[in-house]
Structure formats: C-alpha cells, structure tokens
C-alpha cells in the first residue's frame, strides 16, 4: 500500500509540473495523428505494477513476521532461563560437594584416599620413572606393595599435572587433591547433560525402537535421513528444544544423585571421583561419533578411545565401560544399523582405546587375554568380517539371498578358525580368569 501511494503521489506531481495528462500525446501532434488508446493494454502495466507491489508487501510482511520482536524476545527469555538453570544446578552441585571442606578444612579423609595422597606426593617429588618402580614398605605390611604395577595412576597424574601446569605455587598439592573430587563431580554433571542432549537431538530421534526392530527383522538398513528426522524446534544458534531442556534436567538429577555424591565429596580423594567423569566422557564421545546427518562424526571415535584410555588409567571399572560399548555396537548390527559410519566409529574406538590401555602397567595385555574383555574383541573382529562382506556384496552386486549365503560362509569359517585358536592356546594358560568384580556380580 505504501508503495502504491508513492507511485500515485509521484505521478500527480509530474502531471502538475507538465500541465498535461500522462495518457495524452504531446501538444505538437494533431488530432489525426492520435491513435485510440487500448483500455486492456493500458490496464496491463497497472495490473503488473499492482501485482509486484502486492508481492513485495507480502514478502516484507512475511519476513517481518518471521523475525518479529516477540519471537526474538521469546528466544532471549528461553536462553536466559537455560543459562540460569544450568548455573543453578552446577553451582549447587559444587557447593554440596564442598560441605566437608567448609566444615573441616582441606583434609584428606578415609583410608584409600590417604594412600592415594601419599602416592601422588611420591609421584610429584620423584617423577614417573621412580613412581612405576616404587616398592612401598609401609602398606600391605609386612609384605609391602609394588605400587607401580598394582595402582591405577590416572588420578595421581591428574593431580600432579594440575599442580605443575595449572596452579603452580598458588595452591598446595594437598589442597588440589582435596578439591579434585568436587571439580570432577561438576564436570561429570555437565557431561551427563551432554549425553542427554545428544540422545534427544532431532538428528538421533527420527525412529522408534519398534520401527528399528522391524527394520532389523526385514533386513532393511536405516540410513541417516530416515533416522535423523525427529521432533524438535530450533531455538538459538544450533540448539534445539526439547534437547536443551533434557540436558538441563539431566544435570539437575546428576548434581544430587547420592551414588555420585558419595564418590565426589571434597577430601574423598579416591579413584571413582575421577573415573566417573572419564566414564561419562567416553559415553558422550561414543554417542557423538554416531550422530546422524554428520558425515565426519566417526572421527569422534578417536576421542572416545582416548577418553577410554583415561578411564582405564583411573579405575579398574573400565571393564564395564568397554563391555557396554561393545554390547551397544553388537546391538546396532542386530537392529540393522550397521553402516560405514558405525564401522569406523567402533573400529577407531577399539583400536585407539586398546592400544593405549595396554600401556598402563596394571592392565598390560588384559584386554586381549581376560575373559570378561574378549566380548568387545569378538565384536571388533565381527565388524571386520561384516565390512568385508559388505564390500564384496557391493562389488559383485549380490542379491539379498546370495549376500546372506556369503555372510554365513565367512562367519562359519571364522568360527572354525577361532575354535582352533582357542583350543591351541587355552592349555598354555593364555586366557586369564574372571576378575573378582565380575565374579562378585
């Protein structure tokens, strides 16, 4: 309307200035030279101008409606609520874990944390080489203890790293060891929020478990497009609702979970205080490596392997992390989710994680010899066979029946070879027994 009004005003001014009608011919021409004006032809430019002006006005009104001040205000309010909720949960998680320090001061309490403090002090004063060769006569009396080959040193190295490269002389080693459980407790709370966010993204929630199971029964593979069309509304930048809300709620729960609180109280300098953070970081990166509609997400499998190594160095419960990821990888195959991305993610995770894990002295070759860790190894080998079968199926353009016959032949041959290998090395004591943790379960 404003555009049409401008056109009318402009034409009126030009008419008044020239003193003639816009549709009249110049005064120098005669009446005989004048031709009749076609009403339809004259109306076409006006209609075109009206149509263009109406389209411009509609586009401008739609663009203004899409980015109206009310929508921007809603986004700002939503962002402010999210930031406030995250700050509220994380600050309270930290305050709760510092209660013991606020009441009694930075004091190491309980028995295992005090030994861990002594080991950290020895590592800080003597270095890694002497630490791994250290024989402590003051523990396990009267036998003593070879500390270097019987300890998971991840937490000790973390404390010494913070002392040397972060805090320096501004904070004593004792205070760092007292505060580490609270610091890593807050980090674990954040990582649990990231796990919930990743699990509820629209890219990862495009299908139900029943639909995926039905696809697995039918032998139909689910691609990234079909799995990445879940519900969600983009709010600010690349953050979606309700994914962010799920992350905030998960952080709220993790901040006050009693099972985590008792392992992350200030002064409780034990392995679990660091290991829970390493565990959640491993799970978070493993899930991130499987994100749909991301071509290079499998590279996060490398970071997941590094996080798994940190978990191995921190706590003996790394066995549960390895088996859980291996079981998830095997379940993806049964549900028809095996793809190049899944293959690369698990292969990179297992190769990087296992190669680094065997460098920890207390672990050694256990990932390849311990019975409770052979399951993920079998999944890794099965992934290599499946990848080979898929490559041959594509290369030879096999039908579904021929592809299944080829897979059965390959896996039967692999089972025969594995059986011969197990029968040959078992009498020599290659495979170790089940650990006390697994036997206790």
């Amino acid at each position: 309307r404003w555009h049409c009004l401008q056109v009318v005003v402009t034409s009126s001014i030009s008419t008044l200035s020239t003193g003639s009608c816009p549709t009249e011919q110049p005064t120098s021409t005669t009446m005989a030279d004048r031709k009749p004006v076609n009403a339809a032809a004259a109306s076409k430019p006006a209609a075109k101008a009206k149509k263009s002006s109406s389209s411009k006005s509609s586009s401008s009104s739609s663009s203004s409606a899409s980015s109206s001040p009310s929508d921007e205000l809603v986004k700002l309010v939503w962002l402010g609520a999210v930031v406030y909720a995250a700050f509220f949960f994380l600050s309270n998680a930290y305050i709760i874990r510092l209660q013991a320090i606020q009441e009694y001061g930075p004091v190491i309490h309980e028995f295992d944390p005090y030994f861990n403090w002594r080991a950290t002090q020895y590592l800080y004063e003597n270095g890694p080489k002497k630490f791994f060769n250290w024989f402590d006569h003051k523990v396990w009396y009267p036998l003593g203890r070879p500390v270097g080959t019987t300890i998971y040193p991840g937490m000790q190295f973390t404390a010494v790293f913070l002392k040397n490269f972060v805090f320096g002389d501004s904070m004593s080693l004792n205070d760092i060891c007292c505060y580490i459980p609270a610091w890593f407790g807050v980090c674990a709370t954040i990582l649990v929020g990231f796990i919930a966010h990743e699990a509820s993204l629209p890219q990862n929630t495009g299908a139900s478990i029943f639909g995926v199971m039905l696809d697995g029964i039918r032998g139909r593979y689910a691609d990234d497009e079909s799995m990445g069309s879940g519900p969600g509304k983009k709010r600010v930048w690349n953050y979606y609702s309700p994914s962010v809300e799920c992350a905030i709620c998960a952080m709220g729960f993790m901040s006050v979970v009693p099972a985590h609180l008792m392992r992350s109280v200030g002064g409780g300098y034990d392995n679990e205080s660091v290991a829970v953070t390493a565990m959640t970081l491993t799970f978070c990166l493993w899930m991130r490596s499987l994100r749909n509609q991301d071509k290079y997400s499998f590279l996060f499998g490398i970071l997941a392997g590094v996080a798994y190594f940190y978990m191995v160095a921190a706590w003996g419960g790394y066995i549960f992390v390895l088996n859980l990821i291996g079981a998830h990888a095997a379940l993806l195959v049964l549900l028809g989710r095996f793809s190049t991305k899944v293959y690369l993610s698990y292969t990179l995770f297992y190769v990087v994680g296992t190669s680094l894990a065997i460098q920890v002295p207390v672990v050694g070759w256990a990932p390849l010899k311990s019975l409770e860790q052979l399951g993920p190894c079998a999944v890794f080998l099965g992934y290599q066979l499946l990848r080979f079968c898929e490559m041959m199926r594509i290369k030879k353009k096999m039908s579904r029946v021929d592809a299944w016959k080829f897979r059965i032949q390959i896996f039967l041959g692999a089972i025969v070879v594995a059986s011969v290998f197990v029968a040959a090395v078992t009498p020599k004591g290659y495979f170790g027994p089940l650990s006390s943790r697994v036997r206790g379960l």
Side-chain angles (χ1 to χ4, degrees):
R1 293 176 181 177
W2 176 249
H3 179 73
C4 295
L5 183 60
Q6 285 180 330
V7 171
V8 172
V9 172
T10 304
S11 61
S12 302
I13 294 174
S14 62
T15 302
L16 293 174
S17 62
T18 57
S20 61
C21 180
T23 58
E24 291 181 351
Q25 298 296 328
T27 56
S28 60
T29 60
T30 60
M31 294 296 294
D33 295 332
R34 294 184 183 180
K35 295 182 180 179
V37 179
N38 191 347
S43 62
K44 285 182 179 180
K48 186 182 292 186
K50 184 177 181 180
K51 184 177 180 180
S52 62
S53 62
S54 62
S55 62
K56 290 181 180 179
S57 61
S58 62
S59 61
S60 61
S61 62
S62 61
S63 62
S64 62
S66 61
S67 58
S68 61
S70 60
D71 293 339
E72 297 298 330
L73 181 60
V74 169
K75 291 180 180 180
L76 291 177
V77 171
W78 178 84
L79 182 62
V82 167
V83 173
Y84 175 78
F87 176 77
F88 175 80
F89 288 132
L90 295 178
S91 60
N92 280 277
Y94 187 61
I95 293 172
I96 293 172
R97 286 162 174 80
L98 287 184
Q99 183 177 357
I101 295 179
Q102 292 175 352
E103 187 171 352
Y104 301 105
V107 178
I108 300 290
H109 54 81
E110 302 176 23
F111 298 104
D112 287 348
Y114 191 77
F115 166 76
N116 292 328
W117 149 247
R118 287 187 58 250
T120 304
Q121 190 177 26
Y122 188 91
L123 174 64
Y124 176 70
E125 295 175 353
N126 299 278
K129 186 175 181 180
K130 290 186 177 181
F131 175 78
F132 285 116
N133 295 321
W134 176 32
F135 190 89
D136 191 3
H137 297 276
K138 296 183 178 181
V139 297
W140 293 359
Y141 184 83
L143 300 177
R145 176 181 180 178
V147 178
T149 57
T150 59
I151 191 176
Y152 291 92
M155 184 175 61
Q156 286 77 13
F157 274 86
T158 300
V160 173
F161 174 83
L162 293 175
K163 172 63 177 176
N164 290 333
F165 299 101
V166 178
F167 295 103
D169 296 334
S170 62
M171 198 170 188
S172 66
L173 185 63
N174 176 81
D175 292 350
I176 292 175
C177 293
C178 289
Y179 279 91
I180 274 181
W183 294 338
F184 278 79
V186 176
C187 292
T189 302
I190 297 174
L191 290 171
V192 168
F194 287 165
I195 291 174
H197 178 265
E198 189 68 31
S200 56
L201 279 175
Q203 296 92 319
N204 299 328
T205 56
S208 63
I209 184 64
F210 302 104
V212 174
M213 292 177 64
L214 185 60
D215 289 340
I217 295 174
R218 293 177 177 176
R220 183 173 59 188
Y221 293 105
D223 55 357
D224 280 3
E225 295 298 329
S226 61
M227 297 297 295
S229 57
K233 181 179 180 181
K234 190 174 182 179
R235 290 288 190 179
V236 180
W237 300 306
N238 287 326
Y239 296 102
Y240 290 84
S241 176
S243 301
V244 175
E245 289 87 339
C246 292
I248 296 298
C249 291
M251 286 193 293
F253 288 131
M254 189 65 177
S255 63
V256 294
V257 167
H260 186 224
L261 279 174
M262 64 185 295
R263 289 170 173 83
S264 56
V265 175
Y269 185 61
D270 209 350
N271 296 79
E272 292 90 339
S273 59
V274 173
V276 173
T277 303
M279 182 190 305
T280 53
L281 178 61
T282 305
F283 290 150
C284 181
L285 292 173
W286 166 248
M287 294 175 63
R288 179 62 181 85
S289 69
L290 302 178
R291 179 184 290 185
N292 294 313
Q293 301 179 359
D294 189 350
K295 185 178 180 181
Y296 299 103
S297 63
F298 65 88
L299 295 176
F300 283 89
I302 301 175
L303 299 178
V306 176
Y308 167 70
F309 161 68
Y310 186 50
M311 173 68 196
V312 173
W315 189 35
Y318 72 92
I319 297 173
F320 303 114
V321 177
L322 178 62
N323 279 276
L324 187 57
I325 293 180
H328 183 241
L331 183 63
L332 291 176
V333 176
L334 297 178
L335 296 178
R337 291 291 312 280
F338 181 79
S339 62
T340 302
K341 179 187 295 185
V342 176
Y343 164 75
L344 291 174
S345 297
Y346 186 74
T347 300
L348 291 173
F349 161 76
Y350 188 83
V351 171
V352 173
T354 304
S355 301
L356 295 175
I358 61 178
Q359 308 303 321
V360 181
V362 70
V363 176
W365 292 97
L368 302 177
K369 299 173 66 175
S370 180
L371 291 179
E372 64 262 17
Q373 300 183 55
L374 291 181
C377 181
V379 174
F380 169 75
L381 297 176
Y383 263 49
Q384 311 312 310
L385 296 177
L386 277 175
R387 181 60 180 171
F388 173 74
C389 293
E390 286 298 305
M391 293 174 59
M392 297 305 296
R393 180 184 67 84
I394 297 174
K395 182 178 180 180
K396 296 184 177 181
K397 299 180 180 180
M398 298 180 183
S399 63
R400 182 180 177 185
V401 176
D402 294 336
W404 273 107
K405 289 181 180 179
F406 183 71
R407 292 189 189 107
I408 292 173
Q409 293 174 359
I410 292 296
F411 275 87
L412 285 178
I415 290 174
V416 171
V417 173
S419 300
V420 173
F421 175 77
V422 171
V425 300
T426 299
K428 299 180 180 180
Y430 175 81
F431 297 109
L434 294 174
S435 64
S436 58
R437 284 187 175 90
V438 177
R439 290 198 302 267
L441 292 177

